[in-house]
Amino acid sequence: MTINDIQDSIIEEFSAFDDWMDKYSLLIDLGKELPAIDTRYKTNDYLIEGCQSKVWLYPEYGGGKITFTADSDAIITKGIVALLIKVFSDHTPDEIIGSDLYFIERIGLRQNLSPTRSNGLLAMIRQMKLYAMAFKAKSKN
């Protein structure tokens, strides 16, 4: 599936709910389903700067694609990073770098996050794209 196919399926999944409390419940469930990150990656090296809660993000590069694992100490934030992993994992650096994350607006996520969580969301996206840039640069050498 392409990044846009995944975004479209997320939009469809969230459109089943009108109430944001139900959408928050879906986010929490997504966070609970997130595979556990290896404890050796729960260090400051993998901590995302700019998040109010703690978010650890570990990228792995192989076969031309990046796979992300993550964890957070906050349940909503863990759900948000789970969404981003769903969209970005198993894609090439170019696909990640060139992606337009329209699902965030379409499901109403940005409008329903506190300013600090919204900043954290942007920090997570920025970090994932930075990892993609780094792997792209590394693969050219």
Side-chain angles (χ1 to χ4, degrees):
M1 284 177 74
T2 68
I3 285 177
N4 286 351
D5 290 339
I6 296 165
Q7 291 189 87
D8 292 342
S9 73
I10 290 169
I11 292 165
E12 191 175 315
E13 191 175 7
F14 273 80
S15 70
F17 304 103
D18 293 327
D19 182 18
W20 252 94
M21 292 314 290
D22 294 330
K23 292 180 184 189
Y24 282 130
S25 291
L26 178 56
L27 270 178
I28 291 166
D29 289 344
L30 289 169
K32 287 177 182 173
E33 293 168 9
L34 190 64
I37 191 171
D38 191 311
T39 54
R40 68 180 175 210
Y41 303 126
K42 286 180 90 169
T43 66
N44 287 340
D45 291 341
Y46 299 103
L47 204 56
I48 296 179
E49 300 274 327
C51 287
Q52 181 181 14
S53 41
K54 291 187 177 195
V55 179
W56 297 271
L57 178 70
Y58 177 73
E60 203 164 335
Y61 187 66
K65 296 186 177 191
I66 303 172
T67 304
F68 294 98
T69 54
D71 196 7
S72 176
D73 61 355
I75 56 173
I76 298 284
T77 306
K78 190 171 180 175
I80 294 168
V81 77
L83 272 180
L84 294 175
I85 286 173
K86 189 175 189 175
V87 171
F88 283 146
S89 264
D90 301 320
H91 287 93
T92 66
D94 281 334
E95 289 170 325
I96 293 168
I97 294 164
S99 65
D100 168 30
L101 297 183
Y102 57 83
F103 83 94
I104 295 167
E105 294 296 330
R106 296 224 188 124
I107 66 172
L109 185 59
R110 191 181 315 257
Q111 305 89 299
N112 286 283
L113 292 178
S114 66
T116 53
R117 277 220 177 96
S118 201
N119 288 341
L121 169 66
L122 295 174
M124 289 182 247
I125 294 167
R126 182 175 54 246
Q127 188 61 53
M128 292 172 117
K129 289 196 175 206
L130 283 171
Y131 279 133
M133 287 182 227
F135 285 126
K136 180 180 178 173
K138 198 183 229 182
S139 68
K140 287 184 177 180
N141 295 337

